[in-house]
Amino acid sequence: MLINHTNKTIDEICSDEGRTLWGERLMYERILRDCDKDQYTWHMFYNLKLSLPVNDKADVEPDFLLICNKGAIIIEVKGGELEIKDGKFINHGYGSRRTLKESPFAQAESYKWAIFNNHVFNKNEIFISTMCAFPCSTLKRTSNDDKLDQSNRMWNKFNHEDDSLSFAEFCIKIIEADQQRKGWVRDDYTERELNAIISKFAPTIRLS
């Protein structure tokens, strides 16, 4: 089951200039479809703006934040075709070629650390993984060095066009692998714990 905490409809996924953000739109559709059929209850936040300083920014805005009883995962989305040259990501989209200021993987990680470093949660309260989704790109690896390659946490065009794959299960595999690597040992969140986590990202404040 999926619980959508997002106010935007799929037709409202546009840039400030009104241009459709196709990468984010494709992932929005896929998350709705796959997470709604999954065994876990997923909470989805799209374009969640958090007033948390990170680097030289006053706030962070993850493309997607998904949370279930297993943990949370931040998803950075890039549309268009991607390539890596001299260690930098280059985006080919809308008829232009643009070198990204930072790796999308580093960008997702910075959002995670903004949450921890600004004490929204401590590391014992919530486990947060990160990944990137490039639904229009045929990029298969991020490095020729196996130790540096991050393709295990990358959803590309080949994944996206394979209807036998579940994006929800893909996220769970990343979360569980990260937990095992970092020695995170605890039971899945109870509904009470999960609701406490969700309430920090989507507070309900009533007038008395």
Side-chain angles (χ1 to χ4, degrees), residues 46-89:
Y46 167 66
N47 220 204
L48 177 67
K49 190 169 185 177
L50 302 171
S51 298
L52 304 174
V54 59
N55 301 330
D56 59 344
K57 300 176 183 177
D59 48 51
V60 298
E61 200 166 347
D63 290 329
F64 291 94
L65 170 65
L66 297 180
I67 306 172
C68 73
N69 299 84
K70 282 285 183 185
I73 190 162
I74 291 170
I75 303 157
E76 178 63 24
V77 180
K78 298 297 180 189
E81 183 64 84
L82 291 166
E83 66 172 326
I84 299 174
K85 185 176 182 180
D86 297 328
K88 295 186 179 295
F89 280 78

Coordinates of all heavy atoms in Angstrom, one line a residue, residues 46-89:
Y46 N 7.0 13.8 -2.3 CA 7.6 14.3 -3.6 C 7.9 15.7 -3.4 O 7.1 16.5 -3.0 CB 6.7 14.0 -4.7 CG 7.1 14.8 -6.0 CD1 8.3 14.5 -6.6 CD2 6.4 15.9 -6.5 CE1 8.7 15.2 -7.7 CE2 6.8 16.6 -7.6 CZ 8.0 16.2 -8.2 OH 8.4 16.9 -9.3
N47 N 9.2 16.1 -3.8 CA 9.6 17.5 -3.8 C 9.4 18.2 -2.4 O 8.9 19.3 -2.3 CB 8.7 18.2 -4.9 CG 9.5 19.3 -5.6 OD1 9.0 20.2 -6.2 ND2 10.8 19.1 -5.7
L48 N 9.8 17.4 -1.4 CA 9.6 17.8 0.0 C 10.7 18.9 0.3 O 11.9 18.6 0.3 CB 9.8 16.6 0.9 CG 9.7 16.9 2.4 CD1 8.3 17.4 2.8 CD2 10.1 15.7 3.2
K49 N 10.2 20.1 0.6 CA 11.1 21.2 0.9 C 11.3 21.2 2.4 O 10.4 21.4 3.2 CB 10.6 22.5 0.4 CG 11.7 23.6 0.5 CD 11.2 24.9 -0.2 CE 12.3 26.0 -0.2 NZ 11.9 27.1 -1.0
L50 N 12.6 21.1 2.9 CA 12.9 21.1 4.3 C 13.9 22.3 4.5 O 14.9 22.4 3.9 CB 13.6 19.8 4.7 CG 12.8 18.5 4.5 CD1 13.7 17.3 4.7 CD2 11.6 18.5 5.3
S51 N 13.5 23.1 5.5 CA 14.4 24.2 5.9 C 15.6 23.8 6.7 O 15.7 24.1 7.9 CB 13.5 25.3 6.6 OG 12.5 25.7 5.8
L52 N 16.5 23.1 6.0 CA 17.7 22.6 6.7 C 18.9 23.0 5.8 O 19.0 22.7 4.7 CB 17.6 21.1 6.7 CG 16.4 20.4 7.4 CD1 16.5 18.9 7.2 CD2 16.4 20.8 8.9
P53 N 19.8 23.8 6.4 CA 21.0 24.3 5.7 C 21.9 23.1 5.3 O 22.1 22.2 6.2 CB 21.6 25.2 6.6 CG 21.2 24.8 8.0 CD 19.8 24.3 7.8
V54 N 22.4 23.1 4.1 CA 23.5 22.1 3.7 C 24.4 22.8 2.7 O 23.9 23.5 1.8 CB 22.8 20.9 3.2 CG1 21.9 21.2 2.0 CG2 23.9 19.8 2.8
N55 N 25.7 22.7 2.9 CA 26.7 23.3 2.0 C 26.3 24.8 2.0 O 26.3 25.5 3.0 CB 26.7 22.7 0.7 CG 27.0 21.2 0.8 OD1 27.8 20.8 1.7 ND2 26.5 20.4 -0.1
D56 N 26.1 25.3 0.8 CA 25.8 26.8 0.7 C 24.3 27.0 0.4 O 23.9 28.2 0.1 CB 26.6 27.4 -0.5 CG 26.3 26.7 -1.8 OD1 25.7 25.6 -1.8 OD2 26.6 27.3 -2.9
K57 N 23.4 26.1 0.7 CA 22.0 26.2 0.5 C 21.3 26.4 1.9 O 21.7 25.8 2.9 CB 21.5 25.0 -0.2 CG 22.1 24.8 -1.6 CD 21.6 23.5 -2.2 CE 22.2 23.2 -3.6 NZ 21.8 21.9 -4.1
A58 N 20.2 27.1 1.9 CA 19.4 27.3 3.1 C 18.4 26.2 3.3 O 17.9 26.1 4.4 CB 18.7 28.7 3.0
D59 N 18.1 25.4 2.3 CA 17.2 24.3 2.5 C 17.5 23.2 1.5 O 18.3 23.3 0.7 CB 15.7 24.8 2.3 CG 15.6 25.6 1.0 OD1 16.0 25.2 -0.1 OD2 15.0 26.7 1.1
V60 N 16.9 22.1 1.8 CA 17.0 20.9 0.9 C 15.7 20.5 0.3 O 14.7 20.8 0.9 CB 17.7 19.7 1.6 CG1 19.1 20.1 2.1 CG2 16.8 19.2 2.8
E61 N 15.7 19.9 -0.8 CA 14.5 19.5 -1.5 C 14.7 18.2 -2.2 O 14.9 18.2 -3.4 CB 14.1 20.6 -2.5 CG 12.6 20.6 -2.9 CD 12.2 21.9 -3.5 OE1 12.9 22.9 -3.5 OE2 11.1 21.9 -4.1
P62 N 14.6 17.1 -1.5 CA 14.8 15.8 -2.1 C 13.7 15.6 -3.2 O 12.5 16.0 -3.0 CB 14.6 14.8 -1.0 CG 14.8 15.6 0.3 CD 14.4 16.9 0.0
D63 N 14.0 15.0 -4.3 CA 13.0 14.7 -5.3 C 11.9 13.7 -4.8 O 10.7 14.0 -4.9 CB 13.6 14.0 -6.6 CG 14.5 15.1 -7.3 OD1 14.1 16.3 -7.3 OD2 15.5 14.7 -7.9
F64 N 12.4 12.6 -4.1 CA 11.5 11.7 -3.5 C 12.1 11.3 -2.2 O 13.3 11.0 -2.1 CB 11.2 10.5 -4.4 CG 10.4 10.8 -5.6 CD1 11.0 11.0 -6.8 CD2 9.0 10.8 -5.5 CE1 10.3 11.3 -7.9 CE2 8.2 11.0 -6.7 CZ 8.9 11.3 -7.9
L65 N 11.2 11.1 -1.2 CA 11.5 10.5 0.1 C 10.5 9.4 0.3 O 9.3 9.7 0.4 CB 11.5 11.5 1.2 CG 11.6 10.9 2.6 CD1 13.0 10.2 2.9 CD2 11.4 12.0 3.7
L66 N 11.0 8.2 0.4 CA 10.1 7.0 0.6 C 10.4 6.4 2.0 O 11.6 6.3 2.3 CB 10.2 5.9 -0.4 CG 9.9 6.3 -1.9 CD1 10.1 5.1 -2.8 CD2 8.4 6.8 -2.0
I67 N 9.4 6.1 2.8 CA 9.6 5.6 4.1 C 8.6 4.4 4.3 O 7.4 4.5 3.9 CB 9.3 6.6 5.2 CG1 10.1 7.9 5.0 CG2 9.6 6.0 6.6 CD1 9.7 9.0 5.9
C68 N 9.2 3.3 4.8 CA 8.3 2.1 5.2 C 8.9 1.6 6.5 O 9.7 2.1 7.1 CB 8.3 1.1 4.1 SG 9.9 0.1 3.9
N69 N 8.3 0.4 6.9 CA 8.7 -0.2 8.2 C 10.2 -0.6 8.2 O 10.8 -0.8 9.3 CB 7.8 -1.3 8.5 CG 6.4 -0.9 8.7 OD1 5.7 -0.9 7.7 ND2 5.9 -0.7 9.9
K70 N 10.8 -0.8 7.1 CA 12.2 -1.2 7.0 C 13.2 0.0 7.1 O 14.3 -0.2 7.6 CB 12.5 -1.8 5.6 CG 12.0 -3.2 5.5 CD 12.9 -4.2 6.2 CE 12.5 -5.6 6.1 NZ 13.3 -6.5 6.9
G71 N 12.7 1.2 6.7 CA 13.6 2.3 6.8 C 13.2 3.4 5.7 O 12.1 3.3 5.2
A72 N 14.1 4.3 5.5 CA 13.8 5.4 4.5 C 14.8 5.4 3.4 O 15.9 5.0 3.6 CB 13.7 6.7 5.3
I73 N 14.4 6.0 2.3 CA 15.3 6.1 1.2 C 15.1 7.5 0.4 O 13.9 7.8 0.2 CB 15.3 4.9 0.2 CG1 16.4 5.0 -0.8 CG2 13.9 4.8 -0.4 CD1 16.7 3.6 -1.5
I74 N 16.1 8.2 0.2 CA 16.1 9.4 -0.5 C 16.5 9.2 -2.0 O 17.5 8.5 -2.2 CB 17.0 10.5 0.1 CG1 16.5 10.9 1.4 CG2 17.2 11.7 -0.9 CD1 17.5 11.8 2.2
I75 N 15.7 9.6 -2.9 CA 15.9 9.3 -4.3 C 16.1 10.6 -5.1 O 15.2 11.5 -5.1 CB 14.6 8.6 -4.9 CG1 14.4 7.3 -4.1 CG2 14.8 8.3 -6.4 CD1 13.0 6.8 -4.2
E76 N 17.2 10.8 -5.7 CA 17.5 11.9 -6.6 C 17.3 11.5 -8.0 O 17.8 10.4 -8.4 CB 19.0 12.3 -6.4 CG 19.4 13.5 -7.3 CD 18.6 14.8 -7.0 OE1 18.1 15.0 -5.9 OE2 18.6 15.6 -7.9
V77 N 16.5 12.2 -8.7 CA 16.1 11.9 -10.1 C 16.7 12.8 -11.1 O 16.8 14.0 -10.9 CB 14.6 11.9 -10.2 CG1 14.1 11.6 -11.7 CG2 13.9 11.0 -9.2
K78 N 17.2 12.3 -12.2 CA 17.7 13.1 -13.3 C 17.1 12.5 -14.6 O 17.1 11.3 -14.8 CB 19.2 13.0 -13.4 CG 20.0 13.6 -12.2 CD 19.7 15.0 -12.0 CE 20.5 15.5 -10.8 NZ 20.1 16.9 -10.4
G79 N 16.4 13.4 -15.4 CA 15.9 13.0 -16.6 C 16.9 13.1 -17.7 O 18.0 13.6 -17.5
G80 N 16.6 12.7 -18.9 CA 17.5 12.8 -20.0 C 18.6 11.7 -20.0 O 18.6 10.9 -19.1
E81 N 19.4 11.7 -21.0 CA 20.6 10.8 -21.1 C 21.7 11.3 -20.2 O 22.0 12.5 -20.2 CB 21.0 10.5 -22.5 CG 22.1 9.5 -22.7 CD 21.7 8.1 -22.3 OE1 21.0 7.4 -23.1 OE2 22.0 7.7 -21.1
L82 N 22.4 10.4 -19.6 CA 23.6 10.8 -18.7 C 24.8 10.1 -19.2 O 24.8 9.0 -19.6 CB 23.3 10.5 -17.3 CG 22.2 11.3 -16.6 CD1 21.9 10.6 -15.2 CD2 22.7 12.7 -16.3
E83 N 25.9 10.8 -19.1 CA 27.2 10.2 -19.3 C 28.2 10.8 -18.2 O 27.9 11.8 -17.6 CB 27.8 10.5 -20.7 CG 28.1 12.0 -20.9 CD 28.8 12.2 -22.3 OE1 29.6 11.3 -22.7 OE2 28.6 13.2 -22.9
I84 N 29.3 10.1 -18.0 CA 30.3 10.5 -17.1 C 31.6 10.8 -17.8 O 32.1 9.9 -18.5 CB 30.5 9.5 -15.9 CG1 29.1 9.3 -15.2 CG2 31.5 10.0 -14.9 CD1 29.2 8.2 -14.2
K85 N 32.1 12.0 -17.7 CA 33.4 12.3 -18.3 C 34.3 13.0 -17.3 O 33.9 14.0 -16.7 CB 33.2 13.2 -19.5 CG 34.4 13.5 -20.3 CD 34.1 14.3 -21.6 CE 35.4 14.6 -22.4 NZ 35.1 15.4 -23.6
D86 N 35.5 12.5 -17.2 CA 36.5 13.0 -16.2 C 35.9 13.1 -14.8 O 36.1 14.0 -14.0 CB 37.0 14.4 -16.6 CG 37.7 14.4 -17.9 OD1 38.4 13.3 -18.2 OD2 37.6 15.3 -18.7
G87 N 35.0 12.1 -14.5 CA 34.4 12.0 -13.2 C 33.2 12.9 -12.9 O 32.6 12.9 -11.9
K88 N 32.8 13.6 -14.0 CA 31.7 14.5 -13.8 C 30.5 14.0 -14.6 O 30.6 13.5 -15.7 CB 32.0 15.9 -14.3 CG 33.1 16.6 -13.4 CD 33.3 18.0 -13.8 CE 34.3 18.7 -12.9 NZ 33.9 18.8 -11.5
F89 N 29.3 14.2 -14.1 CA 28.1 13.8 -14.7 C 27.6 14.8 -15.7 O 27.6 16.0 -15.4 CB 26.9 13.6 -13.7 CG 27.0 12.3 -13.0 CD1 27.9 12.1 -11.9 CD2 26.2 11.2 -13.4 CE1 27.9 10.9 -11.3 CE2 26.2 10.0 -12.7 CZ 27.1 9.8 -11.6

